[in-house]
Amino acid sequence: MSDSKLPSNNNSESGWLAMMILLALFLLVVCFTALSKITRSSDPTIHWDMPVAYSESNFQTQNAKEFATEIYQCTGGGLDISVHGGGSLYKGGEIKCAVQVGLVPIGERLLSSHFNENPLFGFDSLPFITANFEESNQLWRVAKRVLEKDMNKEQLTLLYSVPWPPSGLYFKQPIENIEQLKNIKFRSYNAATARFAELSGMIPVQIEAAELSQALALGVVDSFMASGSTGYDRKVWEHLSHFYDVKAWLPRNYVFVNKTDFSQLPSGYQQCVLTASENAELRGTKKSKQLTDWYLQQLEINGIQVVQAGPQLDASLAEIGKLMVEEWLQLSGEKGVQIINRYESKKHTSEVD
């Protein structure tokens, strides 16, 4: 009888070994996933992203960062807000909607940019209603309570607002009268600047602040209205020559939070946010006032002629301003009329709401 060989077990052993390796890898992945969930759930820090439209170096953005730092310290690191400047997270026109629908919990935007949604948001861009920071703040105190009610209906909570320095007009050449403005391409950033351009014979072109330098370089616009801050940040002396310090208005930025996100914060954190908001409004307003003359000096140092409007131009601008206020009162209705009447009645008093 010949010897016979038993079947080899090598293939069977190899299969079992492969199965054991796969099982070990599967268990490792499960354990790692579970551990990650435990680690995340045990992390006490709440992380918020805060989009803003203006450059990292701008005083409004810097103020927002100080606001975030104060909250982080007040909550013992429990609420960490990351400020994203220059429209890097969401473009300016997208920020309010992003907060409303919960894509981000908090944001900052130019108040009057939402005029088309609600004319009341344009109260700060009525020409020549306010001439200085004191009057701007008084108008804000009157309008704030009205805006808070309207924003509450939009799933938003108002936190704070900071005015820009007074706005003037930038041109490529000296301007003596309104006739010289005809067909100049004028950068608009809200309904008020667009209407101003139309009434003065210019052509409004919608441009965000982050896109202004490029628009000037390409000749998309040749003029705009803004504060010395925007002119300095965008180095407009590379393209323009004159700044007319007409102090048309003191537009405001405002910071707002999604109501649901805010309500879900621990009560102590909510108080930290509210306290930091009060401080940010005071600090930002003070900084804006301090920087007003400095910005104009920097424009002059870099070759911009900072001048006052002549009598002909000044008179025409006043007429345009009067018409724009009348139009706004019609659009805003009873609420707008109440804001202006209450402001005018308090304008020359020391009464504070």
Side-chain angles (χ1 to χ4, degrees):
M1 186 176 193
S2 60
D3 294 336
S4 61
K5 293 183 179 179
L6 295 173
S8 173
N9 290 325
N10 288 343
N11 291 337
S12 177
E13 291 175 355
S14 297
W16 277 105
L17 180 60
M19 289 179 63
M20 292 299 293
I21 291 174
L22 288 173
L23 179 60
L25 289 173
F26 174 74
L27 292 173
L28 182 62
V29 170
V30 171
C31 291
F32 178 78
T33 303
L35 181 61
S36 297
K37 290 182 178 179
I38 293 172
T39 301
R40 285 197 297 268
S41 63
S42 63
D43 182 3
T45 302
I46 300 170
H47 297 280
W48 281 7
D49 287 310
M50 179 178 177
V52 302
Y54 294 89
S55 66
E56 295 285 349
S57 61
N58 187 271
F59 82 94
Q60 295 273 18
T61 305
Q62 290 298 312
N63 188 46
K65 289 186 175 184
E66 290 185 57
F67 162 75
T69 298
E70 182 177 341
I71 291 173
Y72 185 82
Q73 294 173 345
C74 180
T75 60
L79 178 54
D80 185 12
I81 301 177
S82 298
V83 178
H84 302 269
S88 58
L89 187 59
Y90 288 99
K91 293 182 179 180
E94 302 168 343
I95 292 175
K96 180 171 179 279
C97 182
V99 177
Q100 280 181 285
V101 301
L103 295 176
V104 288
I106 188 172
E108 180 189 54
R109 183 61 172 140
L110 184 74
L111 183 67
S112 57
S113 63
H114 302 125
F115 179 102
N116 289 334
E117 301 174 28
N118 182 345
L120 291 176
F121 283 87
F123 79 88
D124 64 331
S125 296
L126 300 176
F128 312 114
I129 289 293
T130 60
N132 52 55
F133 284 91
E134 290 71 26
E135 291 179 0
S136 174
N137 290 338
Q138 200 156 34
L139 177 59
W140 168 242
R141 287 194 294 269
V142 171
K144 180 180 178 181
R145 62 182 61 180
V146 179
L147 285 180
E148 285 177 326
K149 293 178 180 178
D150 282 17
M151 290 178 64
N152 186 61
K153 299 175 184 177
E154 297 183 333
Q155 190 61 21
L156 297 173
T157 297
L158 175 64
L159 293 180
Y160 72 85
S161 173
V162 172
W164 292 87
S167 290
L169 291 164
Y170 291 88
F171 293 107
K172 298 179 71 172
Q173 68 279 332
I175 300 294
E176 296 181 0
N177 56 65
I178 201 77
E179 286 75 21
Q180 291 177 265
L181 303 184
K182 187 175 182 179
N183 293 329
I184 289 180
K185 291 174 289 186
F186 182 84
R187 175 245 177 171
S188 64
Y189 58 82
N190 60 12
T193 49
R195 183 58 175 152
F196 173 84
E198 293 170 354
L199 291 173
S200 59
M202 295 187 286
I203 302 171
V205 183
Q206 179 74 27
I207 300 289
E208 288 287 342
E211 303 164 346
L212 179 56
S213 297
Q214 184 179 17
L216 289 169
L218 296 176
V220 177
V221 292
D222 300 311
S223 174
F224 66 98
M225 178 183 288
S227 69
S229 172
T230 301
Y232 174 76
D233 286 347
R234 299 300 161 190
K235 298 181 179 179
V236 297
W237 48 83
E238 296 176 355
H239 312 286
L240 305 177
S241 60
H242 287 71
F243 176 78
Y244 287 85
D245 188 18
V246 298
K247 296 180 174 60
W249 53 61
L250 285 76
R252 307 185 74 92
N253 276 15
Y254 73 130
V255 170
F256 42 90
V257 63
N258 181 282
K259 278 178 58 179
T260 300
D261 286 296
F262 184 70
S263 66
Q264 290 176 347
L265 290 176
S267 58
Y269 287 16
Q270 292 182 21
Q271 188 56 54
C272 285
V273 172
L274 295 176
T275 300
S277 298
E278 293 176 4
N279 294 337
E281 184 164 313
L282 292 172
R283 178 180 61 244
T285 301
K286 181 178 180 181
K287 189 67 173 179
S288 183
K289 189 175 182 179
Q290 290 174 341
L291 286 172
T292 297
D293 290 338
W294 184 85
Y295 281 132
L296 298 185
Q297 291 168 3
Q298 295 305 305
L299 291 178
E300 289 184 314
I301 289 172
N302 285 282
I304 294 288
Q305 295 187 46
V306 178
V307 295
Q308 301 297 317
Q312 293 183 49
L313 180 60
D314 192 55
S316 296
L317 294 178
E319 286 299 315
I320 290 174
K322 182 179 179 181
L323 177 58
M324 287 180 63
V325 172
E326 292 174 354
E327 291 177 344
W328 181 81
L329 288 172
Q330 292 177 356
L331 289 172
S332 59
E334 183 180 348
K335 291 181 180 179
V337 173
Q338 289 177 353
I339 288 174
I340 296 302
N341 287 345
R342 292 193 66 218
Y343 165 66
E344 291 292 345
S345 69
K346 299 173 183 293
K347 188 174 179 179
H348 303 293
T349 73
S350 58
E351 183 179 348
V352 177
D353 293 321

